[in-house]
Amino acid sequence: MDLFRFLSRFSPLQSTLAPMAAVLAMGGSPGALAAEVPLEKLSLPEGFKIEVYAEDVPNARHMARGEKGTLFVGSRRAGKVYAIVDNDGNHKADEVKVIAEGLKLPTGVAFKDGDLYVSAVTSILRLDDIESRLDNPPKPVTITNQFPDKHHGWKYIAFGPDGWLYVPIGAPCNICEEKDYANIQRLKIEGDKVVKTETWAEGVRNTVGFTWHPETNHLWFTDNGRDMLGDDTPPCELNTAPVAGKHFGYPYCHGKDVLDPAFGEGKQCSAYVPPVQELGPHVAPLGVKFYTGDQFPAEYKNQVLIAEHGSWNRSKKIGYRVTMVTLDENGNATSYKPFIDGWLQGEEAWGRPVDVLVMPDGALLVSDDKAGVIYRVTYQG
């Protein structure tokens, strides 16, 4: 169990101790300077280059891009939301502004119609007309505050092609069977209110990243497998939910065929939707995107890129990388391999990827909540 998880059990102390935990978890430094980030330790396929796009972004988590080009970044331990601005268009951040602070685990950010939506455990907040107010940000509007305050309460959020806001509700435990948890919901928002809520997928332990296929508009998501079944069991998952109402196995079945020892009795894994790709055990897959740009070679087009945050309870660490899952024309996985590796050196990790975002020029941004930076990946040819 990491320090923040331990401290967060004591909610009355959380606001006092969480910032201290954040500093300790990041090696005593609230952020990183570009000169201190050992990019030379990272390995990428031939022809690719990685640079620091923005530095000193403590606990940088999920990302969203505004219509005017502002990069918005949530955090977890820092309790802040950042706006990152490239004023001169040289593909390197000029300013990192704090546009909200004092929030509880504001991990997820989503941009729609000029407004920024932020998840804060129980609440979905909105910062109106934010790109014109970066230096004088508005007070957040509360869209809803009805989500549970339980374990896995931090949330990735994103608007789907249907205009609804998709929000996960993680399992309130490592492994348990509780109604109304372990699912993905979608919210129809009109004005300042949620007018309708639907459950899109069930049996999802804890997804902290999802996206939609650029051609089919089907939902794809990562899922973090349960702990305490050993180093190599169960796998984490990449899944797709093209329609509502599917069940993905938790807490009864993990991966394609691992029945849970506590909840799997009398169940069959064939009754649930199997993952498109089993990922490494305990790699903690978070952000996921299809590569939709034109800068990378053709074989990367519409393939899946995943930020693997890295294991915390394995005797030998694994993850701490960005991987790619290659799909065929029918959406079946044909390979799963590292795309960027090297944040883990032996058993010591100096960085932890969280999210990926494809920019209009085809570059790929990667957030790192341990180093406190945003990277920019380009193809040089």
Side-chain angles (χ1 to χ4, degrees), residues 51-326:
E51 303 170 283
V52 172
Y53 175 78
E55 60 192 26
D56 198 19
V57 192
N59 199 233
R61 295 284 289 187
H62 294 288
M63 301 180 287
R65 186 177 182 274
E67 295 166 351
K68 298 178 182 178
T70 308
L71 179 68
F72 297 100
V73 183
S75 68
R76 187 171 140 194
R77 296 171 176 136
K80 299 178 180 180
V81 180
Y82 307 99
I84 300 175
V85 182
D86 173 14
N87 291 313
D88 55 13
N90 68 345
H91 306 300
K92 186 173 178 61
D94 298 303
E95 297 179 273
V96 177
K97 304 171 185 284
V98 175
I99 57 171
E101 57 187 327
L103 304 180
K104 186 174 183 179
L105 312 182
T107 299
V109 288
F111 191 88
K112 187 175 187 290
D113 297 335
D115 303 329
L116 183 69
Y117 293 75
V118 180
S119 69
V121 184
T122 60
S123 304
I124 301 296
L125 310 173
R126 191 182 69 212
L127 299 173
D128 293 336
D129 193 23
I130 185 60
E131 285 190 287
S132 67
R133 308 168 73 180
L134 297 180
D135 293 320
N136 186 26
K139 181 180 178 180
V141 175
T142 300
I143 303 301
T144 179
N145 58 4
Q146 299 302 307
F147 290 106
D149 185 3
K150 293 288 185 77
H151 186 57
H152 295 145
W154 55 91
K155 298 173 178 64
Y156 178 87
I157 58 174
F159 283 95
D162 53 15
W164 293 51
L165 183 67
Y166 284 69
V167 181
I169 300 181
C173 55
N174 172 36
I175 186 73
C176 59
E177 186 177 23
E178 285 204 35
K179 185 181 179 182
D180 300 327
Y181 289 87
N183 61 51
I184 301 175
Q185 297 188 357
R186 66 173 186 166
L187 282 55
K188 186 175 183 180
I189 299 172
E190 293 182 358
D192 297 343
K193 296 181 180 180
V194 176
V195 297
K196 191 173 183 180
T197 301
E198 298 178 351
T199 298
W200 187 264
E202 298 179 281
V204 180
R205 180 178 178 270
N206 184 35
T207 177
V208 197
F210 42 83
T211 191
W212 287 264
H213 192 283
E215 295 178 350
T216 66
N217 284 341
H218 292 168
L219 177 68
W220 288 65
F221 64 94
T222 58
D223 196 11
N224 286 240
R226 67 155 292 180
D227 301 318
M228 309 307 178
L229 285 186
D231 277 1
D232 299 320
T233 302
C236 292
E237 300 177 6
L238 172 67
N239 296 283
T240 183
V243 296
K246 301 295 184 181
H247 196 294
F248 291 83
Y250 178 88
Y252 316 113
C253 179
H254 314 290
K256 294 180 178 179
D257 56 7
V258 180
L259 282 173
D260 191 84
F263 294 94
E265 184 176 357
K267 306 291 185 179
Q268 293 184 338
C269 286
S270 59
Y272 309 107
V273 179
V276 174
Q277 176 67 52
E278 291 185 333
L279 307 177
H282 312 298
V283 297
L286 303 185
V288 56
K289 293 290 187 302
F290 289 92
Y291 181 74
T292 53
D294 295 321
Q295 184 184 128
F296 291 7
E299 58 265 30
Y300 288 84
K301 190 74 170 185
N302 294 344
Q303 303 303 336
V304 184
L305 296 169
I306 301 171
E308 296 185 353
H309 199 227
S311 61
W312 66 273
N313 67 335
R314 204 170 180 273
S315 62
K316 186 175 181 179
K317 291 179 180 177
I318 188 175
Y320 304 89
R321 60 190 181 179
V322 175
T323 55
M324 184 170 78
V325 175
T326 303

Side-chain angles (χ1 to χ4, degrees), residues 28-42:
S29 172
L33 298 178
E36 300 172 350
V37 178
L39 295 176
E40 71 279 0
K41 294 183 179 181
L42 298 175

